[in-house]
Amino acid sequence: QAKAHGRNNFWFFTEDLNLRLNERVHLEHSLRQALDGHQFTLLYQPQIDLNSGEIIGAEALLRWHHPELGLIEPDRFVPIAEDTGLIIGIGDWVMKEATRRNRRWQLDGLPPLVVAVNLSARQFAEADLVHRIETALNEADLDPRYLCLEITESHVMQEAEQAVQTLHQLKALGVMLSIDDFGTGYSSLSYLKKFPVDELKIDRSFVRDLHIDVDDAVIAEAIISLGHSLNIRVIAEGIEHEEQLDFLIRQGCDHGQGFFLGEPVSAEALEALIRQPRTAWRLVE
Ligand code: C2E
Ligand code: MG
Ligand code: MG
Ligand code: MG
């Protein structure tokens, strides 16, 4: 009896595991067709200058419209794209689309924006990364300073010596470099000095409770003064409430991004937002 039960439990366990494996195999299979099937789009989340309240840029965020499953968030498919190497082709598409779109906005008379594109570890380690980015910029005819590459701290630190070299090559192209999710990795401060980066992005886990949790407030403050003493701009992500925004402004944080300032929206909607006559965010009383 007990044995039968045990077997049953085991059976249920493998059933569950099978379902999850199947989902992964299924996603992986359909991910292979997603590029050719034009199933990807980019949303753009505004980035705000906390001094002027103006939109000075946007982060490009990838979305996958699966033919049966509907909209799939990057946290669910980017890891699969990484493991399979599909991220290289997908990343090329993101780079081309974002640079093309940004150039289009300039030609259509919008004030110049910096569009930020996320790079994953696999892309960052790719030998011809610099060449791929240069090609996208040339094809789009975009001045490199209007492209910002977001790289997470842990990706950079994996092969720190190699990473310093890659970052210098990217910097030589003239693009902006940002360290994403800053504070969550095992960053070495001595390396930070060697990285030719333009921006630190305070991870949203520190921003979330910043107005109620003293530890998070202290960490955010420390990142802002660290950035500024190294001459690096600081942006905070995940700003959802006015209290968080007020705190960051008081601490002298340069830029901000989050649902309170603007959700990720289509390229058309971002353009409309920028064109719409309005007074800049009333950031400081
Ligand atoms: P990330 O680079 O840290 O991007 C910020 C994420 O936070 C986005 O999620 C964004 O929608 C979300 N977010 C923005 N404001 C708020 C807020 O106020 N509150 C909360 N709770 N969340 C906020 P998303 O679009 O689901 O992207 C998740 C991650 O997927 C990104 O994290 C990035 O690491 C990765 N990713 C997105 N697009 C791409 C891409 O084109 N290529 C690669 N390699 N990775 C990408
Ligand atoms: Mg990012
Ligand atoms: Mg981030
Ligand atoms: Mg983050």
Side-chain angles (χ1 to χ4, degrees):
Q1 187 67 15
K3 235 179 187 167
H5 246 108
R7 242 197 314 265
N8 258 340
N9 288 338
F10 181 69
W11 187 80
F12 278 120
F13 171 70
T14 51
E15 173 87 332
D16 183 49
L17 192 67
N18 266 333
L19 269 174
R20 273 186 283 160
L21 281 175
N22 276 336
E23 190 207 56
R24 197 186 153 103
V25 170
H26 177 70
L27 281 186
E28 183 180 323
H29 180 75
S30 35
L31 199 52
R32 291 184 188 280
Q33 281 128 38
L35 257 189
D36 289 340
H38 306 283
Q39 292 164 10
F40 291 114
T41 46
L42 291 181
L43 296 184
Y44 296 88
Q45 184 175 34
Q47 297 185 332
I48 312 293
D49 180 329
L50 296 186
N51 285 306
S52 67
E54 296 291 339
I55 300 175
I56 36 79
E59 179 174 9
L61 294 163
L62 185 61
R63 295 293 178 269
W64 177 20
H65 298 273
H66 189 284
E68 291 121 43
L69 301 173
L71 188 79
I72 304 185
E73 301 279 313
D75 288 334
R76 241 176 104 198
F77 69 84
V78 167
I80 302 176
E82 278 261 291
D83 292 348
T84 54
L86 289 167
I87 194 67
I88 301 302
I90 297 171
D92 270 349
W93 178 85
V94 171
M95 199 64 68
K96 287 190 171 144
E97 179 66 19
T99 50
R100 214 160 34 201
R101 172 60 69 172
N102 199 11
R103 182 65 184 140
R104 188 75 256 152
W105 279 327
Q106 293 181 351
L107 294 172
D108 289 346
L110 281 198
L113 299 172
V114 175
V115 169
V117 168
N118 292 284
L119 285 188
S120 66
R122 183 92 175 235
Q123 288 172 276
F124 189 69
E126 190 77 353
D128 57 353
L129 169 75
V130 181
H131 179 248
R132 283 162 187 277
I133 290 169
E134 195 174 15
T135 305
L137 285 164
N138 285 338
E139 283 177 10
D141 189 30
L142 182 75
D143 187 326
R145 68 171 187 269
Y146 299 116
L147 174 68
C148 178
L149 302 176
E150 294 195 2
I151 303 144
T152 69
E153 207 181 341
S154 43
H155 299 161
V156 174
M157 292 309 294
Q158 262 166 29
E159 293 286 342
E161 288 298 343
Q162 177 59 44
V164 173
Q165 217 183 318
T166 307
L167 289 173
H168 277 286
Q169 287 168 356
L170 290 170
K171 200 56 225 172
L173 275 185
V175 298
M176 298 288 145
L177 297 174
S178 175
I179 305 209
D180 204 351
D181 304 336
F182 191 78
T184 56
Y186 44 101
S187 161
S188 144
L189 295 182
S190 61
Y191 267 114
L192 194 56
K193 217 175 59 181
K194 293 191 200 161
F195 293 156
V197 297
D198 303 279
E199 182 181 88
L200 301 179
K201 199 168 197 182
I202 306 175
D203 188 65
R204 70 167 185 264
S205 61
F206 303 118
V207 175
R208 194 190 312 127
D209 298 325
L210 175 131
H211 51 308
I212 44 176
D213 183 329
V214 172
D215 293 340
D216 286 339
V218 167
I219 291 170
E221 264 182 77
I223 295 176
I224 294 166
S225 48
L226 172 67
H228 288 173
S229 57
L230 293 171
N231 246 319
I232 302 173
R233 180 178 73 209
V234 180
I235 182 170
E237 68 173 2
I239 303 172
E240 295 181 355
H241 308 287
E242 195 162 13
E243 293 88 339
Q244 296 162 336
L245 180 63
D246 286 343
F247 178 91
L248 290 162
I249 291 171
R250 265 184 281 127
Q251 296 305 322
C253 189
D254 305 283
H255 294 175
Q257 184 184 338
F259 297 156
F260 183 73
L261 296 168
E263 296 192 7
V265 291
S266 70
E268 293 73 22
L270 184 79
E271 180 171 346
L273 198 67
I274 292 170
R275 285 192 192 280
Q276 141 198 326
R278 56 170 181 87
T279 44
W281 265 272
R282 225 170 23 94
L283 293 179
V284 203
E285 293 292 306

